[in-house]
Amino acid sequence: MKKYLYILSFCFLQCALTGFAQNKHTSISDTINLSEVAVLAERPFVQHKADRMIVSVEHSKLLKARSLSNILNLIPGVNYDGEGGITIMGNGIKIYENGKLVRLSGAQLKSYLSSLRGNDIKNLELLPQATAGYDAEGGTAVLVINRQKKHEYGLSGYVGSEYERKSKNLFSEFAGVTYSWGNVALYANMALGQSASHSKISESDYGQNIIVNSISETTDKSLYYMPKLGIDFYISPKHYLGVEWLGNYSKDYANACWVHSTVTDNSPNQTNILSYAPYSLRPNTNNVTLNYEWKTDTLGSKLNLLADYVGEREHDLYEYENKYTQGIGGDSIISKSQPSFECVNICSTQVDFTKFFNRHQFTLGTKYINANIHYDNKLYLGNTTLGGMLSEDVDQWDDFCYVERRYAIYGMYRYSSRPWDFQVGLRDEYTEWNTQQRVRTQLHNNQKGNNIFPSFFVRKGMGQGNALSLSYTQSINRPSYQMVNPFVFHLSETSYKEGNPNLKGELLYNAALQFVLKSRYVFSLSAFFIDRKINEVYEQMNEQQTRYTLRNDGNLKKLALYIEFPFTCGIWNSRSNVELSENFYRNSTKRVNDFGLVLSSFNRFRLSKQLTAMANLRYIRHYKQLYLIQKSDYFGVDIEGDYSCLKDKLNINFGVKDLLNSRGKNQQIFKNGDFEHRTDFDFTSRKFFVSVTFSFSTGSKHAIQHDKIHSNEEEKERM
């Protein structure tokens, strides 16, 4: 019943916004003249192509002064959860920026999205299905971030600050500067800030002859800074060379988790466990990219070379003090210390050649990746009831190495002549990988495999802005390096997680039929199939232990309908979309089907030349899966304002995200046979914020320009 109230509320708010806009239009329509209307006009926000949607950023005052995380919330068909999770029309994505794949996830990806400003972005390209020119793994969809291609002679840049109030008062600072002279452009960016959160989680495990209830409170505080340096050499009109370094550093402080667990079983007395676990995480990443381009003729043909290196070092330390109380007996205290070190080195090289013949385009490319990952984890135990010392538990050591080499070759052909746009591609990837765990199990696993991934797109223009397109792609989701590490990581005294070295990559097949009406309205019908689906599994291992792991279990069939419809009335501009899906899960023992629903509406009100107001609504109904039988629905409301002055050099963005604090209240229930795992989340997701950005430029307005290519990487998604 609750989800239907959410849907009715969504419709009511949308109607209320309509009425507000109509009233405002009536009240001020007589006071503005034609010239003022022309001033307020902007270039189209969204353009639809055969295989992608292009969102203009550089020509939008609304988007230029925002962070990328805020921009994503305004794009139709995109769902960003605020914590690093992004989907496009329900599909998981890989992100490419300025010639390389963004190999970040979780908190690091969240910081990255917040640090990248619209001032540095020309446009965003969103591909619901990746073409053969992109890596086959890492997600079905692609988000391409095209940074500004032109540099003004002289000095230009921006500086700004953002304040937000969530559970704590937080500040972040950001700045970017570019200096160009002759055929050389030097640029630098810096973002630094702090993040903090406080969450409360209640977990319950219902197993055979046992019930475990746990309440945990976690406090996270961290500092991060993300510097970037780059230089562009425009050697001649035909030759370009660029070098870029990107750093990502963070340091945690005052991080801790308190857990109170009660164990009820067949014993006469209930066991109480009180745990205190301070921890620290220190991930540091350095990324160096070299980009060379040779324009071989005047038709646009070109040769691209992209070489990339990424190195990550992460030092983690988890400490536990566990106090046991059983019945009326005395207490016993068990202490643990779990330090770990992670070293990641990835090198990749890619060469592309694109040749144009009038309406024909041919692309050939090859790529090589070498990834070396090393984990070193240890566990120290001790009964400190009587002052005992911690000692190493050799059976819990983990010296894990992962080596992967990947060779890819691909080709694409495109024919474009109105009203037809046709593209076909084929990608072949050969992979060798080796895993070694040299302590606990002496695991050695050598594997190799070859996969072929075709892609197909065809689009026919039908006049008056109408177009019909058909597409088909294949891809793969390989497990991350952590997923295949069989090391046991203790989450609490009653639960742990363990990697699965036998995991295989998910195979994905996607077909879609899309119709665009009058260049505005979008109707898309897609069929999606995943074989060897990776599912989260909770299971009871013994009397007081719950294991969390992953396994290839069955497949998923999905039918989805996507509708996008914009609307304009006076000062009100609205873009709404509906995603309706029917999902069928199946394995050897069970079948599950359920429907998912996403309703979203972006509403913008141009109150004056300087002031814009926005109200964004979103409702998400989560569907059941093989083991996930319940997840709370989400109904969110964002309200923002945007004010610019000083000839648009000063921009102030303010508002509140998740006004109803809906995302912070969530329940998940996993069921595996007779075992049930229930989790209730309680944290503050409502965020009040104010962001101030000042842009500047000096010197000549003439610009040098260069088109940068798409990414050559894929492995950061799996770090």
Side-chain angles (χ1 to χ4, degrees), residues 628-656:
L628 178 62
I629 63 173
Q630 181 179 320
K631 187 175 182 180
S632 299
D633 296 349
Y634 168 71
F635 180 58
V637 179
D638 301 335
I639 299 176
E640 301 180 44
D642 195 271
Y643 179 78
S644 59
C645 58
L646 301 179
K647 298 182 179 180
D648 297 330
K649 292 183 178 182
L650 180 65
N651 182 274
I652 304 173
N653 181 222
F654 55 93
V656 55

Side-chain angles (χ1 to χ4, degrees), residues 374-379 392-401 435-444 485-487:
H374 179 226
Y375 294 97
D376 187 7
N377 299 273
K378 297 182 180 181
L379 181 65
E392 296 178 86
D393 186 348
V394 179
D395 292 333
Q396 296 294 320
W397 282 9
D398 180 41
D399 189 358
F400 181 79
C401 292
T435 59
Q436 296 184 22
Q437 190 179 44
R438 290 179 275 197
V439 180
R440 186 167 66 92
T441 61
Q442 296 297 318
L443 172 68
H444 295 272
N485 184 359
F487 179 69

Side-chain angles (χ1 to χ4, degrees), residues 6-16 599:
Y6 281 149
I7 297 174
L8 290 173
S9 300
F10 182 95
C11 297
F12 174 78
L13 286 173
Q14 186 69 12
C15 293
L599 303 174

Side-chain angles (χ1 to χ4, degrees), residues 154-185:
L155 183 68
S156 62
Y158 61 89
V159 62
S161 178
E162 181 170 301
Y163 161 82
E164 66 177 58
R165 170 69 186 181
K166 205 171 182 179
S167 56
K168 302 288 185 179
N169 294 319
L170 301 175
F171 295 87
S172 59
E173 321 295 332
F174 48 88
V177 63
T178 299
Y179 182 71
S180 303
W181 71 97
N183 292 322
V184 180

Side-chain angles (χ1 to χ4, degrees), residues 217-231:
E217 289 192 52
T218 304
T219 300
D220 292 311
K221 296 181 180 180
S222 64
L223 299 173
Y224 69 88
Y225 57 101
M226 304 179 69
K228 177 184 292 185
L229 289 173
I231 186 167

Side-chain angles (χ1 to χ4, degrees), residues 49-50 356-361 413-423 457 459:
K49 301 292 185 181
F356 288 89
F357 297 97
N358 295 324
R359 299 181 179 88
H360 307 274
Q361 176 184 336
Y413 166 72
R414 180 178 181 181
Y415 173 80
S416 184
S417 178
R418 293 184 178 182
W420 291 97
D421 192 358
F422 171 82
Q423 180 178 290
F457 299 86
R459 177 185 175 96

Side-chain angles (χ1 to χ4, degrees), residues 250-319:
S250 63
K251 179 181 180 181
D252 291 349
Y253 65 97
N255 289 358
C257 181
W258 296 262
V259 184
H260 183 208
S261 303
T262 59
V263 181
T264 305
D265 52 20
N266 293 327
S267 61
N269 298 309
Q270 177 178 275
T271 301
N272 293 284
I273 307 173
L274 184 62
S275 302
Y276 170 66
Y279 62 93
S280 63
L281 309 175
R282 295 187 178 183
N284 299 317
T285 303
N286 290 280
N287 196 170
V288 180
T289 304
L290 179 121
N291 190 347
Y292 169 76
E293 179 179 298
W294 173 26
K295 296 180 180 179
T296 59
D297 58 35
T298 58
L299 297 177
S301 304
K302 58 185 178 181
L303 175 71
N304 291 304
L305 169 65
L306 194 60
D308 183 75
Y309 165 78
V310 60
E312 178 180 304
R313 306 294 183 266
E314 181 170 340
H315 296 266
D316 300 342
L317 176 62
Y318 285 82
E319 298 180 286

Side-chain angles (χ1 to χ4, degrees), residues 51 53 61 154 527 601:
D51 58 348
M53 177 174 66
K61 294 189 297 181
S601 178

